[in-house]
Amino acid sequence: MILVENKKVRLRYEILDTLTAGIELAGAEAKSLRQKHGSLDGSRVVIRGGEAYLVGASIPPYQVANTPPDYDPARTRRLLLSKKEIVELSDIESRKGLTIVPIEVYNAKRFIKVKIAVVRGKGKADKREDLKLRDAKREMERALRKR
């Protein structure tokens, strides 16, 4: 079940490859995500020191009254990947024009996972073309339903 989704990724970027990673969370953060609270807008994945981190994702506190005073909702969270995957992602990150962004956070039985993607930015013309295709598809489906 999808808990949090980055809806603008498919509009802004061309997805080249996807990968699943675990995420290191505090208990209250996991509870907050299970309540579908959180945002992936503007977040990305960064490789530093042989580890992958999720930067810019916001997870609000589960219970505001019981939250520790030093809690930071936008803190950097470590992603759980194999060494081979981290090396592959660091090579991709070093290439010009490619970025690694999270697409969604979801439940996999009792674990919380993050689906990340290697993406390339789209230009304005590409974005407009996608919107035109989506509108045309929607109109076609409406016409078929009216029959």
Side-chain angles (χ1 to χ4, degrees):
M1 170 175 41
I2 296 175
L3 303 173
V4 179
E5 188 174 11
N6 194 349
K7 294 178 182 176
K8 295 184 179 182
V9 167
R10 286 172 177 73
L11 176 66
R12 293 180 181 167
Y13 303 104
E14 173 190 352
I15 297 174
L16 305 175
D17 190 22
T18 60
L19 191 67
T20 299
I23 184 167
E24 191 175 90
L25 297 170
E29 291 174 335
K31 286 182 177 184
S32 183
L33 281 174
R34 285 199 171 99
Q35 295 293 321
K36 300 187 178 187
H37 297 292
S39 174
L40 294 176
D41 291 338
S43 60
R44 57 193 170 88
V45 175
V46 176
I47 310 295
R48 284 190 215 133
E51 292 184 344
Y53 295 97
L54 181 63
V55 179
S58 176
I59 301 174
Y62 177 64
Q63 293 176 330
V64 179
N66 295 336
T67 304
D70 61 339
Y71 178 71
D72 181 19
R75 75 178 178 89
T76 302
R77 292 167 181 88
R78 189 167 66 139
L79 294 178
L80 307 173
L81 293 163
S82 68
K83 291 288 182 185
K84 181 181 173 186
E85 291 170 331
I86 291 173
V87 168
E88 185 180 315
L89 287 177
S90 66
D91 291 343
I92 289 170
E93 188 181 39
S94 64
R95 288 190 215 153
K96 188 171 180 163
L98 297 181
T99 308
I100 307 164
V101 296
I103 298 176
E104 61 190 32
V105 176
Y106 64 95
N107 258 353
K109 297 185 184 175
R110 68 185 194 101
F111 300 108
I112 294 179
K113 301 281 188 174
V114 179
K115 184 184 275 187
I116 59 177
V118 177
V119 296
R120 178 180 292 126
K122 287 184 184 177
K124 270 190 175 178
D126 294 333
K127 290 179 189 178
R128 286 189 192 124
E129 187 65 32
D130 285 349
L131 290 173
K132 285 179 189 176
L133 289 173
R134 191 182 319 155
D135 288 342
K137 184 178 176 184
R138 196 175 302 140
E139 289 295 326
M140 200 177 341
E141 288 174 358
R142 280 186 195 148
L144 288 175
R145 263 186 275 156
K146 287 182 181 179
R147 289 178 101 200

